[in-house]
């Protein structure tokens, strides 16, 4: 995704905050905010932010799982299922 067309100076954001927020919600495209000609922040709608956070959380879980596999911290699925069934069985 190219962000070059979605770059605005902070002065534009200050002068057009309501319009910027409406556009963010409609288009769901992030906006790069510059200060003194340098990119300083990225503004995005809340739905996109939440989706990004959920994606990052899933990627973190996947990375942790891969680390566990690499470290040999795994058990055969059959053993885990048997242990769970044993816990559920009436005494």
């Amino acid at each position: 995704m190219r962000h070059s067309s979605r770059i605005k100076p902070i002065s534009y954001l200050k002068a057009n905050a309501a319009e910027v927020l409406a556009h963010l919600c409609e288009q769901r495209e992030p906006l790069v905010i510059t200060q003194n000609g340098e990119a300083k922040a990225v503004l995005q709608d809340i739905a996109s932010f939440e989706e990004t956070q959920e994606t990052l959380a899933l990627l973190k879980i996947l990375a942790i799982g891969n680390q566990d596999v690499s470290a040999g911290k795994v058990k055969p699925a059959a053993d885990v299922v048997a242990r769970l069934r044993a816990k559920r069985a009436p005494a």
Side-chain angles (χ1 to χ4, degrees):
M1 175 184 342
R2 291 223 174 240
H3 299 293
S4 58
S5 65
R6 300 289 305 144
I7 300 173
K8 299 289 183 193
I10 196 164
S11 58
Y12 179 85
L13 176 61
K14 289 177 184 179
N16 301 287
E19 177 186 323
V20 167
L21 290 176
H23 186 77
L24 284 172
C25 291
E26 289 171 13
Q27 300 298 316
R28 297 196 64 192
E29 294 177 353
L31 177 65
V32 177
I33 303 298
T34 63
Q35 187 175 32
N36 299 324
E38 189 177 323
K40 292 289 184 176
V42 176
L43 192 61
Q44 69 182 137
D45 65 285
I46 192 69
S48 295
F49 175 77
E50 289 172 344
E51 287 175 9
T52 300
Q53 294 303 304
E54 289 174 9
T55 300
L56 289 173
L58 291 172
L59 287 172
K60 185 173 183 176
I61 291 168
L62 181 61
I64 291 169
N66 284 337
Q67 288 173 350
D68 286 348
V69 169
S70 295
K73 297 180 182 177
V74 294
K75 295 182 181 181
D79 293 353
V80 174
V81 170
R83 191 182 84 225
L84 291 173
R85 286 187 176 146
K87 283 185 177 183
R88 285 183 57 189

